[in-house]
Amino acid sequence: MSARPVETPSHPTPLDRGTLDALAHGTHRDPFGVLGRRDDGDGPYIRAVLPGAQGVEAVDARTGDSIGRLMEIENTGVFEGWVKGADPYRLKIAWPGTVQETEDPYSFGLLLGELDLHLLGESRHFELASALGANVMEFDGVAGVRFAVWAPNARRVAVVGDFNSWDKRRHPMRLRHPSGVWELFVPRIGPGERYKFAILGPDGAELPDKADPVAKSAESAPGTASVVAAPTAYEWTDDAWMAARSAKHLPDAPLSFYEVHLGSWMKDGRTVDWNFAIDKLVPYAAQMGFTHIELLPVAEHPFGGSWGYQPLGLFAPTGRYGKPEDFARFVNAAHAAGVGVVVDWVPAHFPTDPHGLYRFDGTPLYEHADPREGFHQDWNTAIYNFGRREVQNFLIASGLHWLEQFHVDGLRVDAVASMLYRDYSRKEGEWVPNHLGGRENLEAIGFLQHFNAVVRERVPGAMTIAEESTAWPGVTRSTTEGGLGFDYKWNMGWMHDTLNYMEQNPIYRSYNHDGITFGLVYAFSEKFVLPLSHDEVVHGKGSLIGKMPGDAWQKFANLRALYGLMWSHPGKKLLFMGGEIAQWSEWNHDAQIDWPALDDPNHAGVQRLIRDLNRIYVSEPSLYRRDCEEAGFRWVIGDDRANSVFAFRRHGADGDPPILVVANMTPVPRHGYRIGVPVAGRWSEIINTDSGLYGGSNVGNGGGLETTPVESHGEAQSLELSLPPLGVVALRAG
């Protein structure tokens, strides 16, 4: 039958009142069942929801000729009308003050392929951001953006943004059963568009508009919209780095992390962004000899005062510092300078901001329903439901996104202890035991093991590092051996014990001697990083130098001795920004490091010491090659409580000259202090924290000593040393 004349004012088969009202109010559950080009037996017609339009005409997509006019039904914003032919068409929409010509989103077929849906259904889609979220693409030869979001319990999901005046009626999405994923292709839009998802919960209640959980870009706070990102087109030039980095991350390699909060590192009168970091931070870290920059979380987060530890955009570098491609340029520049990049990653919990993941589709989708499992009382955040496969897939895909798309060299996983224990920071009756009746979070354990196993398989050479503050066994043991599978673990026990010892007046250190020695009891039970992190210089804890006892001279000497001990102790190194210049003030995330302090020679001396410690650390294999083996460490003097003196040796592989480290933790110089050594001949003094170069008193051993054939400490040869006050010296055989 031929089509009706286009001039006819009559409509195709009338919609029932319920359907019309649902379309008019944006609550229809199956928009593809009623919108787009249709045929009720009398001929083709088109139906569209365009509230606010003053007129709508359908035109042939090739010729631009009119094929029919759509008329509005009862001022509802729903337009329909008979059309000619079955060729591709566009809608010519007269808006107040402008005319828009575009393809009809409801003229396109299914978007996500069977493989995507299969992997999503099995929760094994580790390239999640390529399937869900906003992806710029061509569909049937038309450029636009495919939107997709997981919201299995929603009654309706619509995409809203600047492109449709944030009108939830304009772009309702199609549900793909049984995956729970909603999809829609919006033609003729592209990168830079802001958007969110407008969701009706299962009870029909309208939720606050939700940001995209897998958005690859987001607008800067205080804005909360997601942003359509440009397709990944960054041209990496770090092939040599990526090919060689596995060896740089092994337990027998030197690792020295410079922990940085970019927004408060340096202001310098410029906008703090990734370009600034390329110009300033990368060369500074390289000059200081750090092997890696470790960034506090750079995933998008709504509240700057959380420092990134309450993120909502786990796939999006924060818009505070630029676009995703700018972050990629930063990583590439760091690699070109010989510096790796580690980012802090937070899969433990998330904030409950209404635009975020919390009750995303009107149900506890990402979090536990029971607050005894799903709410973190300390941080007022929601806890991920690690027992849900889709949540595990979401988190693992996030971690892989940073490693694969941005060439990040490692993830430092935050708050692991809070994940491992169901009773973490909870009183009796405030937590739910596991199915065996215990306190272990078996689902979180399984997630961490799965995450680390996938990273090993897909991104060989990348590191995962656990911030885990308890004695949980096997954090760095392989998953095949029943461990959690991390490469390294922060040694929080070493940090607490060492700082507690250093804070003591030297008069009382003899009573706290175990604060230094106890850490060696368990030093090789895991592969450790020694952290002096941001956590130790906030919330009223003061700065590192502020913790040191004594007058100003003694404070600087104590801090230099702390660093001397740390860099010679088994374990990789991490220092938070500002510690390297001994700034007096506590870290303030709204300010910057106290760079003017470097005008004082004492502060400049500490900075010079850190640079030299890093240089010596990476050039002396005995200081790192057996970091994780008992054979790499030997106590020489661990019981001189009366003098607060410690002496130990570090050993590398066969042929590496041993290094003797001696610490005098009192302000009294000690001359003629004899220590046995295993190698006769000259021992060169490679570090002395009391050197005048660092602001010290220059008590030392003149650059080195010859052994004498006097038995001491079970050795036939010995050295007669001068130990500087509150100082650490290290001597190498040869």
Side-chain angles (χ1 to χ4, degrees):
M1 180 180 290
S2 62
R4 303 275 182 90
V6 297
E7 294 79 14
T8 179
S10 62
H11 296 284
T13 303
L15 292 170
D16 63 79
R17 175 53 57 180
T19 300
L20 181 61
D21 287 346
L23 288 174
H25 293 93
T27 60
H28 199 282
R29 302 186 66 172
D30 182 21
F32 279 84
V34 291
L35 299 179
R37 177 158 45 196
R38 320 197 62 75
D39 193 327
D40 62 3
D42 292 328
Y45 64 92
I46 293 172
R47 182 180 294 128
V49 180
L50 298 164
Q54 296 176 328
V56 182
E57 186 177 13
V59 299
D60 186 285
R62 290 172 299 145
T63 66
D65 295 339
S66 176
I67 61 171
R69 183 175 293 110
L70 279 58
M71 309 298 291
E72 186 174 10
I73 305 175
E74 300 177 12
N75 295 317
T76 59
V78 179
F79 289 76
E80 64 180 10
W82 303 106
V83 295
K84 296 187 229 177
D87 292 331
Y89 68 94
R90 292 195 295 267
L91 298 177
K92 194 172 184 178
I93 309 164
W95 301 104
T98 188
V99 175
Q100 175 193 18
E101 189 170 315
T102 182
E103 288 74 14
D104 182 358
Y106 301 94
S107 67
F108 296 95
L110 300 176
L111 303 177
L112 289 172
E114 290 303 317
L115 178 59
D116 282 321
L117 292 174
H118 173 73
L119 293 174
L120 288 168
E122 292 197 344
S123 300
R124 292 191 300 111
H125 204 311
F126 296 131
E127 297 176 9
L128 202 61
S130 69
L132 303 185
N135 285 280
V136 176
M137 60 180 295
E138 274 196 10
F139 195 74
D140 289 347
V142 178
V145 176
R146 184 192 68 200
F147 295 94
V149 63
W150 179 59
N153 303 302
R155 181 173 292 188
R156 182 269 287 147
V157 180
V159 60
V160 294
D162 294 328
F163 51 87
N164 62 15
S165 301
W166 300 89
D167 191 333
K168 63 182 180 295
R169 298 169 292 178
R170 289 274 307 279
H171 288 105
M173 304 173 77
R174 167 171 37 209
L175 176 62
R176 299 295 301 275
H177 293 286
S179 67
V181 172
W182 301 74
E183 65 177 16
L184 187 71
F185 180 73
V186 179
R188 301 207 179 200
I189 65 171
E193 293 278 2
R194 298 187 307 150
Y195 70 97
K196 284 185 178 180
F197 296 111
I199 299 176
L200 290 181
D203 59 357
E206 188 83 40
L207 304 179
D209 289 349
K210 295 288 190 176
D212 182 358
V214 296
K216 294 184 283 294
S217 183
E219 67 175 335
S220 297
T224 58
S226 302
V227 175
V228 176
T232 302
Y234 185 75
E235 295 185 9
W236 294 91
T237 60
D238 63 348
D239 290 352
W241 170 275
M242 297 295 282
R245 75 174 180 180
S246 290
K248 300 177 187 291
H249 295 164
L250 293 175
D252 64 356
L255 290 170
S256 181
F257 303 95
Y258 185 47
E259 190 189 28
V260 172
H261 177 262
L262 182 59
S264 58
W265 178 71
M266 179 185 289
K267 305 290 189 182
D268 200 31
R270 286 177 53 183
T271 299
V272 177
D273 56 16
W274 294 118
N275 293 323
F276 175 80
I278 291 170
D279 293 343
K280 296 290 187 178
L281 176 58
V282 169
Y284 178 77
Q287 177 193 20
M288 289 295 295
F290 290 100
T291 65
H292 290 72
I293 296 168
E294 179 172 324
L295 297 166
L296 271 61
V298 296
E300 191 56 73
H301 49 283
F303 176 48
S306 76
W307 318 324
Y309 288 104
Q310 293 193 10
L312 281 176
L314 265 66
F315 293 75
T318 176
R320 291 168 174 82
Y321 307 133
K323 298 179 179 179
E325 53 265 35
D326 296 327
F327 177 63
R329 287 182 57 246
F330 165 77
V331 176
N332 195 62
H335 289 170
V339 178
V341 176
V342 172
V343 298
D344 284 8
W345 182 62
V346 188
H349 61 123
F350 59 89
T352 58
D353 297 60
H355 70 280
L357 299 176
Y358 188 68
R359 297 189 66 84
F360 185 79
D361 64 357
T363 69
L365 189 63
Y366 288 88
E367 72 276 15
H368 284 278
D370 189 334
R372 295 175 298 169
E373 298 180 277
F375 189 76
H376 202 298
Q377 301 170 116
D378 291 353
W379 303 318
N380 292 320
T381 53
I383 299 171
Y384 286 106
N385 182 353
F386 301 110
R388 188 163 195 167
R389 292 183 308 141
E390 296 93 338
V391 173
Q392 284 204 22
N393 190 171
F394 169 76
L395 292 171
I396 292 172
S398 163
L400 291 173
H401 187 72
W402 296 96
L403 296 171
E404 294 179 336
Q405 299 302 315
F406 294 109
H407 289 203
V408 163
D409 299 294
L411 300 174
R412 199 278 290 185
V413 183
D414 184 63
V416 170
S418 74
M419 301 169 68
L420 294 175
Y421 300 95
R422 287 175 163 267
D423 63 346
Y424 182 88
S425 195
R426 294 181 186 272
K427 299 175 183 177
E428 189 67 32
E430 295 179 346
W431 58 282
V432 180
N434 62 38
H435 72 277
L436 301 175
R439 58 195 287 256
E440 299 82 8
N441 190 329
L442 303 178
E443 295 81 6
I445 295 166
F447 159 68
L448 291 171
Q449 291 175 322
H450 188 195
F451 160 70
N452 281 314
V454 171
V455 170
R456 292 294 161 275
E457 178 182 347
R458 291 183 59 116
V459 201
M463 292 182 290
T464 61
I465 304 166
E467 186 213 17
E468 203 286 305
S469 56
T470 74
W472 186 277
V475 172
T476 58
R477 190 183 307 140
S478 72
T479 56
T480 57
E481 297 173 320
L484 295 183
F486 287 94
D487 290 282
Y488 297 101
K489 168 183 171 175
W490 274 18
N491 193 336
M492 310 296 280
W494 171 88
M495 180 269 296
H496 286 297
D497 290 347
T498 302
L499 287 182
N500 180 65
Y501 178 89
M502 296 303 302
E503 291 174 13
Q504 302 293 322
N505 187 304
I507 296 174
Y508 305 113
R509 283 179 176 166
S510 62
Y511 304 107
N512 294 275
H513 203 72
D514 294 345
I516 299 298
T517 60
F518 180 68
L520 274 304
V521 173
Y522 60 86
F524 309 105
S525 62
E526 302 277 7
K527 300 178 183 70
F528 281 122
V529 173
L530 309 180
L532 291 177
S533 74
H534 66 280
D535 282 326
E536 307 318 310
V537 292
V538 290
H539 301 318
K541 294 179 183 178
S543 63
L544 288 179
I545 193 169
K547 301 177 193 296
M548 301 297 108
D551 59 22
W553 189 93
Q554 290 190 8
K555 285 180 179 293
F556 278 101
N558 272 302
L559 184 63
R560 294 193 302 266
L562 167 62
Y563 292 152
L565 275 175
M566 176 177 173
W567 258 259
S568 56
H569 190 287
K572 312 310 179 186
K573 326 299 176 188
L574 179 140
L575 182 64
F576 183 58
M577 63 183 200
E580 82 278 15
I581 65 169
Q583 73 173 31
W584 289 105
S585 57
E586 183 177 272
W587 173 48
N588 177 359
H589 68 269
D590 290 324
Q592 67 168 349
I593 293 176
D594 186 18
W595 296 108
L598 290 174
D599 293 336
D600 183 329
N602 290 307
H603 293 275
V606 173
Q607 185 189 49
R608 187 178 296 113
L609 172 65
I610 294 297
R611 185 169 60 242
D612 286 352
L613 286 172
N614 276 329
R615 175 180 55 79
I616 293 165
Y617 172 54
V618 301
S619 63
E620 296 290 346
S622 289
L623 289 177
Y624 62 78
R625 187 161 283 168
R626 289 184 172 174
D627 251 343
C628 306
E629 304 173 35
E630 290 188 37
F633 178 90
R634 178 177 174 180
W635 276 115
V636 181
I637 300 172
D639 57 357
D640 190 357
R641 292 175 177 269
N643 293 311
S644 294
V645 170
F646 305 87
F648 55 84
R649 288 202 307 267
R650 296 298 308 278
H651 294 271
D654 293 343
D656 294 331
I659 292 174
L660 173 68
V661 180
V662 189
N664 174 20
M665 305 309 291
T666 69
V668 180
R670 305 194 185 279
H671 299 285
Y673 198 99
R674 186 169 295 279
I675 298 180
V677 291
V679 178
R682 182 169 178 81
W683 284 67
S684 300
E685 192 173 64
I686 58 174
I687 197 70
N688 180 353
T689 65
D690 191 51
S691 167
L693 292 171
Y694 311 134
S697 60
N698 261 334
V699 174
N701 300 281
L705 292 171
E706 295 288 336
T707 60
T708 55
V710 177
E711 184 177 354
S712 184
H713 303 103
E715 304 288 355
Q717 298 287 324
S718 59
L719 296 170
E720 191 172 321
L721 297 170
S722 291
L723 306 184
L726 298 173
V728 174
V729 296
L731 301 99
R732 180 192 60 224

